Amino acid sequence: MWTIPLLARGDFSEWRDAARALASAGISPREVDWRIKGDIELFEASTLPELPVPDAAAPPLVVPQAFLPLAEAVVCHTDPGRFHLLYRLLWRLQSDRRLLELTADKDVAWARLLAKNVARDSHKMTAFVRFKEIAGEVEGRRRFFAWFEPTHFVVARTAPFFRRRFADMDWIIATPKGTASWNGESLIADMRPGEDPGHGDPTDALWRTYYASIFNPARLKTKAMQAEMPKKYWRNLPEAALIPELIANAEANVRAMAERAASDPPTFHYRLQDLAQAMPSAGFADVGTLGGLREEARRCTRCPLHCTATQTVFGEGQEAATMMMVGEQPGDQEDLAGRPFVGPAGKVLDGVLKEAGLARETLYLTNAVKHFKYQPRGKRRIHEKPNRGEIDHCRWWLTKEIELVKPRIIVALGATALYALTGDRRPLSQVRSQPVAMEDNVVLYPTIHPSFLLRLPDEAERRRQHALFLEDIRDAGHLAKSFSG
């Protein structure tokens, strides 16, 4: 019987050299007793034989390519039988080169399970190592220390990940199963156990703040969480101190989230039903006025947009305004408020009106389309451009507004408004800032929609377009004053 002592701390070459000598000498697995040096009695250690001398006439050892990475992983496991297992596989592979393809084979299945456990432990190390800064720099490089307690001997095989990820700082990762360090030039792995100095770090509070902010009590599954973050790692995770309290308060926090969460806007047809019950079917008392038209528009079902919008967003402003401004359609905030131009684009417009010396309350503001068209994306509603059919269906309301307000200047804000007012589908750039005579001595003034300025990524171009838009609004205001004067 050959007793082979090993340090057994994840050094693959230690097992490989011994296994190669034994197998080359023709010593079968039954004749080998793989032992861990710490488990060998002093008397036994003094009588251990030297490794055998390989037979020069013996054929060379050959293994499939997949065996080496498998063996390198299995050696890092803490199972005391791992060396027996690997030597059996090595011995059997000499007569059966396709052994590793037999997934049902007991030895193959066992080796793959051990390798999987090592890979998982290595992954946990990349996830749960927490560096703490050490006071003082060396040659301008900050220094960090981390204590981790892996299940297996994974420090040396996982250390290259930290070298790639944290190459700009000096660090030491100490564990009971070895230590790894990086100084900007050399990655050093030491098989000897490290020590935990137990010092804290100001970033511990940041970890706790971060974890508390991302913890979602509504998705809490305690067993699944502990499977991904086993309790054995908690002692070295600053945020883990919050976990018991977060779990205990999860139910109450879910109720609180539900109470303060914004409810989805009610769909239009529910409001339509309410209005149908509240209003007489014979018509409206103030037909022929903006007020009556507004009430009638609240029940509009001319196009499918009414099915998902919160409400009709009708025009507002001075009923006999000299200037009317027509935009494209209401946005998210307009849909919820029921008023035109109260969202981000509306704030831009308000600012430009103020710079141009125009008061919003002296104008009439409306949109070519009265319902918000959007695509849901998570909890957000993303604006979607209305199509020609939807614009055509809504033109009836816009025409009625123009008939009742009787403006002398209509500012078309964007290509959609221009098409709704004239049927002109030319690019806005070809007609911008060019007044167009319409019926009943009305002048149309095309310009951009204020939302265009919000979409410009370049600050210089945004300032340039803002100045052009301000100039357009001032020109339209001067035209309006000439009519009113």
Side-chain angles (χ1 to χ4, degrees), residues 316-330:
E316 68 174 22
Q318 188 173 0
E319 294 194 2
T322 304
M323 183 188 295
M324 173 187 284
M325 289 189 167
V326 181
E328 179 191 78
Q329 67 163 343

Side-chain angles (χ1 to χ4, degrees), residues 9-11 76 122 125 152-161 175 177-180 187-191:
R9 300 191 65 82
D11 184 1
C76 295
S122 182
M125 182 173 175
H152 307 293
F153 297 96
V154 297
V155 177
R157 66 186 287 114
T158 314
F161 165 84
T175 81
K177 292 180 169 60
T179 301
L187 177 64
I188 302 172
D190 190 338
M191 298 299 178

